[in-house]
Amino acid sequence: MNDFQRKIIQWYNLNKRDLPWRQTLDPYRIWVSEIILQQTRVDQGLAYYERFIARFPDVRQLAEADEQEVLSVWKGLGYYSRARNMHHTARRIVQEYAGVFPGSYHQLLRLKGIGKYTAAAIASICSHEPVPVVDGNVVRVFSRIFGIEAMAGTTASFNKVWERSSALIDRDDPGTYNQAVMEFGALCCKPANPGCGQCIFRNDCFAFGNQMVDRLPVKKKEISRRERWFTYLYVRVGGGKVLMQQRPQGDIWQNLWELPLIEADHLLGPAEVSAHPVVNQGRERPEIIVVNPKDYRHILTHQIIHARFYEISGYQTGEAFEAFEAGDYRVMEDPLVTGLPVSRLTDRYLHWRAGNMQGL
């Protein structure tokens, strides 16, 4: 065991968090935890992991589920393509691997939604394959300790960290080694306010010795984001029902449900909304009874969504309902009651409305 291995594994054994996926070598459960934690902090992801495992305790039950049910259980985590990929992969494992989760790094890479990081985590923890994981935490630890100055997020950075960690990995227990490096990055070598004063590598750390802790790893340049403007309509159609539509394929939040949407190059005002065809069905003339006082700004990886919500009421007759159903809209029960999987912005508005507009 080299000095780096010894120090970081000793630190891990003393400081690691007690997490449910660390109590198992089941590759399915390790996979679920890794996918959830790709875009979610551990403290937030824990409840989602437990909920997902409670509903889909093994790969067969996930494979047999309907996609809408999977999306509903995933609700709140965002990045719904992760849930769709998991569902697709679960079905493939059942069909092609007789329900037995593949264990090798290269087999795992062939599965949809599993990249180098996730494959390395599963293979090292469950099959003891000595493949190093490289995620943001690992890149930060290695960049600071060993002075790797390649820009984070680039192929050059990945390759340098992967090569260095490959040389250091514990070949007898690669899973513990990988988890130790990731945990060290999460708890000690943090992006901001790292614990350098108590760091076990303080005397050996390149960044600390050269006063470069705040400059390593080298940050990737800001990506440009497309801006979009969504005007949503909360259309009440009697009997406590609302109008909903399903997101199209090939766009954000695909196949999730949302309130009727008007996308334009700006957020619409009341006059523009009242003139829109969805607000004028049949002979009824509904009214805009309230505008949510707060516009929303939702940031995705490659897009910024500006959103505004209007409340529409006044539909009572079957004529309007038939016109809605003939288009892209559906008259449905409140999604907060039915658990319908909805887009993030619709979910935020529905919860805001439930807490602020009782009786309307």
Side-chain angles (χ1 to χ4, degrees):
M1 179 177 286
N2 59 58
D3 190 54
F4 182 83
Q5 281 179 29
R6 180 182 57 78
K7 284 184 176 180
I8 205 157
I9 290 174
Q10 284 180 352
W11 177 91
Y12 177 70
N13 288 332
L14 291 171
N15 296 279
K16 65 182 178 182
R17 290 168 288 184
D18 183 17
L19 300 170
W21 49 86
R22 289 183 177 155
Q23 313 304 321
T24 180
L25 295 180
D26 180 353
Y28 170 75
R29 298 192 175 207
I30 301 297
W31 173 55
V32 171
S33 71
E34 292 297 343
I35 298 300
I36 287 175
L37 297 178
Q38 282 177 5
Q39 302 287 346
T40 309
R41 296 197 311 272
V42 169
D43 58 341
Q44 294 176 320
L46 181 58
Y48 289 101
Y49 169 84
E50 292 174 338
R51 183 174 75 183
F52 196 92
I53 292 297
R55 176 58 191 87
F56 310 115
D58 57 53
V59 71
R60 285 189 179 277
Q61 293 198 45
L62 177 58
E64 292 167 0
D66 177 81
E67 182 184 89
Q68 290 294 302
E69 184 181 7
V70 176
L71 296 178
S72 180
V73 174
W74 193 265
K75 181 180 174 182
L77 278 167
Y79 297 91
Y80 284 87
S81 61
R82 292 183 292 166
R84 293 190 187 91
N85 288 341
M86 289 178 72
H87 193 220
H88 177 277
T89 291
R91 289 185 167 179
R92 185 177 172 190
I93 290 171
V94 168
Q95 292 166 3
E96 298 182 19
Y97 296 90
V100 178
F101 215 99
S104 81
Y105 176 73
H106 290 291
Q107 280 182 313
L108 289 162
L109 284 176
R110 299 190 190 107
L111 299 175
K112 190 172 185 178
I114 296 184
K116 293 179 179 179
Y117 161 75
T118 304
I122 298 171
S124 65
I125 295 169
C126 303
S127 302
H128 306 293
E129 189 173 348
V131 185
V133 296
V134 179
D135 70 348
N137 285 325
V138 176
V139 168
R140 186 167 57 255
V141 169
F142 274 76
S143 295
R144 286 174 174 169
I145 293 175
F146 299 109
I148 296 174
E149 298 187 52
M151 186 179 294
T154 63
T155 301
S157 172
F158 176 90
N159 288 341
K160 288 183 178 182
V161 172
W162 193 91
E163 289 169 6
R164 180 59 70 99
S165 193
S166 293
L168 295 171
I169 194 168
D170 183 346
R171 297 187 175 277
D172 294 324
D173 191 1
T176 297
Y177 166 87
N178 277 334
Q179 291 181 88
V181 179
M182 290 188 287
E183 190 80 333
F184 188 77
L187 300 183
C188 183
C189 194
K190 297 181 290 186
N193 302 315
C196 297
Q198 297 78 40
C199 179
I200 56 174
F201 297 108
R202 179 176 178 177
N203 294 331
D204 307 308
C205 179
F206 174 90
F208 184 77
N210 290 278
Q211 298 182 331
M212 293 179 64
V213 173
D214 60 341
R215 287 184 278 161
L216 289 177
V218 178
K219 294 179 177 60
K220 195 171 183 179
K221 294 178 181 177
E222 281 286 326
I223 60 173
S224 60
R225 289 186 172 94
R226 171 191 176 195
E227 294 199 65
R228 300 172 74 177
W229 289 265
F230 290 1
T231 301
Y232 284 104
L233 309 177
Y234 183 95
V235 182
R236 295 193 290 172
V237 289
K241 297 183 178 181
V242 295
L243 215 58
M244 300 292 292
Q245 66 180 27
Q246 196 167 26
R247 294 286 303 170
Q249 293 278 347
D251 201 352
I252 58 172
W253 306 319
Q254 63 179 0
N255 294 338
L256 297 180
W257 291 85
E258 66 181 354
L259 298 171
L261 165 67
I262 308 168
E263 182 171 3
D265 60 2
H266 62 285
L267 294 176
L268 302 188
E272 294 171 295
V273 169
S274 65
H276 196 272
V278 73
V279 183
N280 293 281
Q281 298 286 352
R283 292 185 296 272
E284 293 181 296
R285 289 295 176 266
E287 60 176 332
I288 301 173
I289 61 168
V290 68
V291 178
N292 184 22
K294 181 180 74 171
D295 289 340
Y296 293 85
R297 186 170 180 264
H298 189 67
I299 299 177
L300 302 171
T301 304
H302 298 286
Q303 300 185 33
I304 298 176
I305 310 299
H306 304 274
R308 177 176 294 168
F309 290 81
Y310 287 91
E311 188 98 0
I312 313 292
S313 70
Y315 298 112
Q316 298 296 333
T317 69
E319 180 183 356
F321 296 178
E322 290 170 6
F324 290 138
E325 296 282 6
D328 295 328
Y329 309 106
R330 296 292 177 268
V331 177
M332 306 180 82
E333 299 287 346
D334 185 344
L336 293 184
V337 175
T338 64
L340 184 75
V342 298
S343 69
R344 179 65 179 133
L345 282 169
T346 290
D347 187 61
R348 288 174 65 185
Y349 178 75
L350 291 176
H351 278 92
W352 174 87
R353 186 181 188 280
N356 292 277
M357 298 182 64
Q358 295 93 338
L360 288 180

Coordinates of all heavy atoms in Angstrom, one line a residue, residues 167-208:
A167 N -2.4 4.8 -11.1 CA -1.1 4.4 -10.6 C -1.2 4.2 -9.0 O -0.4 3.5 -8.5 CB 0.0 5.4 -10.9
L168 N -2.1 4.9 -8.4 CA -2.2 4.9 -7.0 C -3.3 4.0 -6.4 O -3.3 3.7 -5.2 CB -2.5 6.4 -6.5 CG -1.4 7.4 -6.7 CD1 -1.9 8.8 -6.4 CD2 -0.1 7.0 -5.9
I169 N -4.2 3.6 -7.2 CA -5.4 2.8 -6.7 C -5.0 1.6 -6.0 O -4.0 0.9 -6.3 CB -6.4 2.5 -7.9 CG1 -7.7 2.0 -7.4 CG2 -5.7 1.4 -8.8 CD1 -8.8 2.0 -8.5
D170 N -5.8 1.2 -5.0 CA -5.5 0.0 -4.2 C -6.1 -1.1 -5.0 O -7.3 -1.3 -5.1 CB -6.3 0.2 -2.8 CG -6.0 -1.0 -1.9 OD1 -5.5 -2.1 -2.4 OD2 -6.3 -0.9 -0.7
R171 N -5.3 -2.0 -5.5 CA -5.8 -3.1 -6.3 C -6.4 -4.2 -5.5 O -7.2 -5.0 -6.1 CB -4.6 -3.6 -7.2 CG -4.1 -2.6 -8.1 CD -3.1 -3.0 -9.1 NE -2.8 -1.9 -10.0 CZ -3.5 -1.6 -11.1 NH1 -4.5 -2.3 -11.4 NH2 -3.1 -0.6 -11.9
D172 N -6.2 -4.3 -4.3 CA -6.9 -5.2 -3.4 C -8.3 -4.8 -3.0 O -9.2 -5.6 -2.8 CB -6.1 -5.5 -2.2 CG -4.8 -6.2 -2.5 OD1 -4.7 -7.0 -3.4 OD2 -3.8 -5.9 -1.8
D173 N -8.5 -3.5 -2.9 CA -9.8 -2.9 -2.5 C -10.0 -1.6 -3.2 O -10.1 -0.5 -2.6 CB -9.8 -2.7 -1.0 CG -11.2 -2.4 -0.4 OD1 -12.2 -2.4 -1.2 OD2 -11.3 -2.2 0.8
P174 N -10.2 -1.7 -4.5 CA -10.4 -0.4 -5.3 C -11.7 0.3 -5.0 O -11.7 1.6 -5.1 CB -10.4 -0.9 -6.8 CG -10.8 -2.4 -6.7 CD -10.3 -2.9 -5.4
G175 N -12.7 -0.4 -4.5 CA -13.9 0.3 -4.2 C -13.8 1.2 -3.0 O -14.3 2.4 -3.1
T176 N -13.1 0.7 -2.0 CA -12.9 1.6 -0.8 C -12.0 2.8 -1.2 O -12.3 3.9 -0.8 CB -12.3 0.8 0.3 OG1 -13.2 -0.2 0.7 CG2 -12.0 1.7 1.5
Y177 N -11.0 2.5 -2.0 CA -10.1 3.6 -2.4 C -10.9 4.7 -3.2 O -10.8 5.9 -2.9 CB -9.0 3.0 -3.3 CG -8.2 4.1 -4.1 CD1 -7.1 4.7 -3.5 CD2 -8.6 4.5 -5.4 CE1 -6.4 5.7 -4.2 CE2 -7.9 5.4 -6.1 CZ -6.8 6.1 -5.5 OH -6.2 7.0 -6.2
N178 N -11.7 4.3 -4.1 CA -12.5 5.2 -4.9 C -13.4 6.0 -4.1 O -13.6 7.3 -4.2 CB -13.2 4.5 -6.0 CG -12.4 4.2 -7.3 OD1 -11.4 5.0 -7.5 ND2 -12.8 3.2 -8.0
Q179 N -14.1 5.4 -3.2 CA -15.1 6.0 -2.3 C -14.3 7.0 -1.4 O -14.8 8.1 -1.0 CB -15.9 5.0 -1.5 CG -16.9 4.2 -2.4 CD -17.7 3.2 -1.5 OE1 -18.7 3.6 -1.0 NE2 -17.1 2.0 -1.4
A180 N -13.1 6.6 -0.9 CA -12.4 7.5 -0.1 C -12.0 8.8 -0.7 O -12.1 9.9 -0.1 CB -11.1 6.7 0.4
V181 N -11.5 8.7 -2.0 CA -11.1 9.9 -2.7 C -12.3 10.8 -2.9 O -12.3 12.1 -2.7 CB -10.5 9.6 -4.1 CG1 -10.1 10.9 -4.8 CG2 -9.2 8.7 -3.8
M182 N -13.5 10.2 -3.3 CA -14.7 11.0 -3.5 C -15.1 11.7 -2.2 O -15.5 12.9 -2.2 CB -15.8 10.2 -4.1 CG -15.5 9.7 -5.6 SD -17.0 8.9 -6.3 CE -16.9 7.3 -5.5
E183 N -15.1 10.9 -1.2 CA -15.6 11.5 0.1 C -14.7 12.5 0.6 O -15.1 13.5 1.2 CB -15.7 10.3 1.2 CG -16.4 10.7 2.5 CD -17.9 10.7 2.3 OE1 -18.4 10.9 1.2 OE2 -18.5 10.5 3.4
F184 N -13.4 12.4 0.4 CA -12.4 13.4 0.8 C -12.7 14.7 0.1 O -12.6 15.8 0.7 CB -11.0 12.9 0.5 CG -9.9 13.8 1.1 CD1 -9.6 13.8 2.5 CD2 -9.2 14.7 0.3 CE1 -8.6 14.6 3.0 CE2 -8.2 15.5 0.8 CZ -7.9 15.5 2.2
G185 N -13.0 14.6 -1.2 CA -13.3 15.8 -2.0 C -14.6 16.5 -1.5 O -14.7 17.7 -1.5
A186 N -15.6 15.6 -1.1 CA -16.9 16.2 -0.6 C -16.8 16.8 0.7 O -17.5 17.8 1.0 CB -17.9 15.1 -0.7
L187 N -16.0 16.3 1.6 CA -16.0 16.7 3.0 C -14.8 17.6 3.4 O -14.9 18.4 4.3 CB -16.0 15.5 4.0 CG -17.2 14.6 3.8 CD1 -17.2 13.5 4.9 CD2 -18.6 15.3 4.0
C188 N -13.7 17.4 2.8 CA -12.5 18.1 3.2 C -12.0 19.1 2.1 O -11.9 20.3 2.3 CB -11.4 17.2 3.7 SG -9.9 18.0 4.3
C189 N -11.7 18.5 1.0 CA -11.1 19.3 -0.1 C -12.3 19.9 -0.9 O -12.4 19.6 -2.1 CB -10.2 18.4 -1.0 SG -9.1 19.4 -2.1
K190 N -13.0 20.7 -0.3 CA -14.3 21.3 -0.9 C -14.0 22.4 -1.9 O -12.9 23.0 -1.8 CB -15.2 21.8 0.2 CG -15.6 20.7 1.2 CD -16.6 21.2 2.2 CE -15.8 22.1 3.2 NZ -16.7 22.4 4.4
P191 N -14.9 22.7 -2.8 CA -14.7 23.8 -3.7 C -14.4 25.2 -3.0 O -13.5 25.9 -3.4 CB -16.0 23.9 -4.5 CG -16.6 22.5 -4.4 CD -16.2 22.1 -3.0
A192 N -15.2 25.5 -2.0 CA -15.0 26.7 -1.3 C -14.7 26.4 0.2 O -15.3 25.4 0.7 CB -16.2 27.6 -1.4
N193 N -13.9 27.2 0.9 CA -13.6 27.0 2.3 C -13.1 25.5 2.6 O -13.7 24.9 3.5 CB -14.8 27.3 3.2 CG -15.2 28.8 3.0 OD1 -14.4 29.7 2.9 ND2 -16.5 29.0 2.8
P194 N -12.1 25.0 1.9 CA -11.7 23.7 2.2 C -11.0 23.6 3.5 O -10.5 24.6 4.0 CB -10.7 23.4 1.0 CG -10.2 24.8 0.6 CD -11.4 25.7 0.8
G195 N -10.9 22.4 4.1 CA -10.3 22.3 5.4 C -8.8 22.0 5.4 O -8.3 21.0 5.9
C196 N -8.1 23.0 4.8 CA -6.7 22.8 4.7 C -5.9 22.7 6.0 O -4.9 22.0 6.1 CB -6.1 24.0 3.9 SG -6.7 24.1 2.2
G197 N -6.5 23.4 7.1 CA -5.8 23.4 8.4 C -5.8 22.0 9.0 O -4.9 21.6 9.7
Q198 N -6.8 21.1 8.6 CA -6.8 19.8 9.2 C -6.5 18.7 8.1 O -6.7 17.5 8.4 CB -8.2 19.5 9.8 CG -8.6 20.4 11.0 CD -9.0 21.8 10.5 OE1 -9.7 21.9 9.5 NE2 -8.6 22.8 11.2
C199 N -6.1 19.1 6.9 CA -5.9 18.2 5.8 C -4.7 17.3 6.0 O -3.6 17.7 6.4 CB -5.7 19.0 4.5 SG -5.4 17.9 3.1
I200 N -5.0 16.0 5.8 CA -3.9 15.0 6.0 C -2.8 15.1 4.9 O -1.7 14.5 5.1 CB -4.5 13.5 5.9 CG1 -5.3 13.4 4.6 CG2 -5.4 13.3 7.1 CD1 -5.8 11.9 4.4
F201 N -3.1 15.8 3.8 CA -2.1 16.0 2.8 C -1.5 17.4 2.8 O -0.8 17.8 1.8 CB -2.7 15.8 1.4 CG -3.2 14.4 1.2 CD1 -4.5 14.1 1.2 CD2 -2.3 13.3 1.1 CE1 -5.0 12.8 1.0 CE2 -2.7 12.0 0.9 CZ -4.1 11.7 0.9
R202 N -1.7 18.2 3.9 CA -1.3 19.6 3.9 C 0.2 19.7 3.6 O 0.6 20.7 2.9 CB -1.6 20.1 5.3 CG -1.2 21.6 5.5 CD -1.6 22.1 6.9 NE -1.2 23.5 7.1 CZ -1.4 24.2 8.2 NH1 -2.2 23.6 9.1 NH2 -1.0 25.4 8.3
N203 N 1.1 18.9 4.1 CA 2.5 19.0 3.9 C 2.9 18.6 2.5 O 4.1 18.9 2.1 CB 3.3 18.2 5.0 CG 3.1 18.7 6.4 OD1 2.8 19.9 6.6 ND2 3.1 17.9 7.4
D204 N 2.1 17.9 1.8 CA 2.4 17.4 0.5 C 1.7 18.1 -0.6 O 2.0 17.9 -1.8 CB 2.2 15.9 0.4 CG 2.8 15.1 1.5 OD1 4.0 15.3 1.7 OD2 2.1 14.4 2.2
C205 N 0.7 18.9 -0.3 CA -0.2 19.5 -1.3 C 0.4 20.6 -2.1 O 0.9 21.6 -1.5 CB -1.5 20.0 -0.6 SG -2.7 20.8 -1.7
F206 N 0.4 20.4 -3.4 CA 1.0 21.4 -4.3 C 0.2 22.8 -4.2 O 0.9 23.8 -4.1 CB 0.9 20.9 -5.7 CG 1.3 22.0 -6.8 CD1 2.7 22.0 -7.2 CD2 0.4 22.8 -7.3 CE1 3.1 23.0 -8.1 CE2 0.8 23.8 -8.3 CZ 2.1 23.8 -8.7
A207 N -1.1 22.7 -4.2 CA -1.9 24.0 -4.1 C -1.7 24.7 -2.8 O -1.5 25.9 -2.8 CB -3.3 23.6 -4.4
F208 N -1.7 24.0 -1.7 CA -1.5 24.6 -0.4 C -0.1 25.2 -0.3 O 0.1 26.4 0.1 CB -1.7 23.6 0.7 CG -1.6 24.3 2.1 CD1 -2.7 25.0 2.6 CD2 -0.5 24.1 2.9 CE1 -2.6 25.6 3.8 CE2 -0.4 24.7 4.1 CZ -1.5 25.4 4.6

